[in-house]
Amino acid sequence: MSDGLIRPPGDVAPPSREWSKTVSDLIDKAAKAAVRGSDLGDRPPPFYDPLEGLDAVTPPPVTWSALSGTLRSLTNLSDEERWKIADEKRLDPLEGPGGSRLFGQDEYCEWSVARNERGEITRVTFTSEVGEWFDHMAENDRRALLSTYREMFGPEVEEEDLFSGDSY
């Protein structure tokens, strides 16, 4: 979050009210679907909208492991050894079973660890890029979308490759 706005994935563009509304609507839809037909009792809903703030919400402890499936599958290693690999070599190739190449961050969740001068963890940031970001750019900034595609796939990508009429 930045100035009450949700930042785009990877900070590829400045935060905007339009993108923040898109994400807020996605969260609202997921939250409603998650609790539909269930009785939460006195438990908080499993989602919260970051635009609403956390003042009234006490998030439950995280019980989902964001550790990559690749690292979890290395059962010959202890949890501590897998965490060390995830922390130190998250983007570097690892040797997996049968000599295969694996990566510590190989799924939809990525993370970054900030440490102080003593090497102690001070912050862990998780991010997950959603496909809706590209839909958002198609609706709000075609030049940025085209630039992103050219950066990812090459300068030969043209706007006609991305759109059929007004449809992305």
Side-chain angles (χ1 to χ4, degrees):
M1 293 256 316
S2 172
D3 298 329
L5 299 174
I6 298 171
R7 295 188 316 257
D11 282 335
V12 296
S16 70
R17 293 195 193 296
E18 295 83 11
W19 175 243
S20 293
K21 171 103 172 75
T22 297
V23 174
S24 182
D25 290 347
L26 285 169
I27 292 168
D28 187 52
K29 182 179 176 183
K32 286 177 180 169
V35 298
R36 189 173 296 121
S38 65
D39 178 20
L40 291 176
D42 61 352
R43 294 173 298 165
F47 298 93
Y48 72 92
D49 185 337
L51 294 179
E52 307 270 327
L54 286 175
D55 297 340
V57 178
T58 303
V62 175
T63 57
W64 168 73
S65 172
L67 188 64
S68 80
T70 297
L71 290 176
R72 286 194 314 270
S73 72
L74 300 176
T75 56
N76 59 317
L77 301 176
S78 70
D79 284 344
E80 288 77 14
E81 290 170 316
R82 287 185 291 219
W83 297 334
K84 184 175 172 76
I85 290 170
D87 188 29
E88 294 176 355
K89 302 201 178 282
R90 62 192 179 95
L91 300 176
D92 298 333
L94 308 167
E95 186 172 329
S100 60
R101 286 172 44 106
L102 308 172
F103 294 86
Q105 283 193 12
D106 63 352
E107 298 185 15
Y108 58 89
C109 181
E110 298 176 2
W111 65 88
S112 176
V113 178
R115 296 177 182 273
N116 63 20
E117 61 280 348
R118 294 183 304 277
E120 299 166 326
I121 295 174
T122 58
R123 182 180 69 240
V124 178
T125 303
F126 292 93
T127 185
S128 179
E129 295 185 15
V130 293
E132 288 81 4
W133 171 246
F134 292 94
D135 296 333
H136 173 78
M137 284 198 302
E139 290 177 25
N140 295 283
D141 194 342
R142 285 187 172 199
R143 282 190 9 212
L145 179 68
L146 181 59
S147 175
T148 299
Y149 269 86
R150 286 179 173 167
E151 183 179 317
M152 291 173 20
F153 300 107
E156 65 277 2
V157 177
E158 297 295 335
E159 190 169 323
E160 304 82 60
D161 299 324
L162 306 177
F163 294 91
S164 175
D166 282 336
S167 297
Y168 168 63

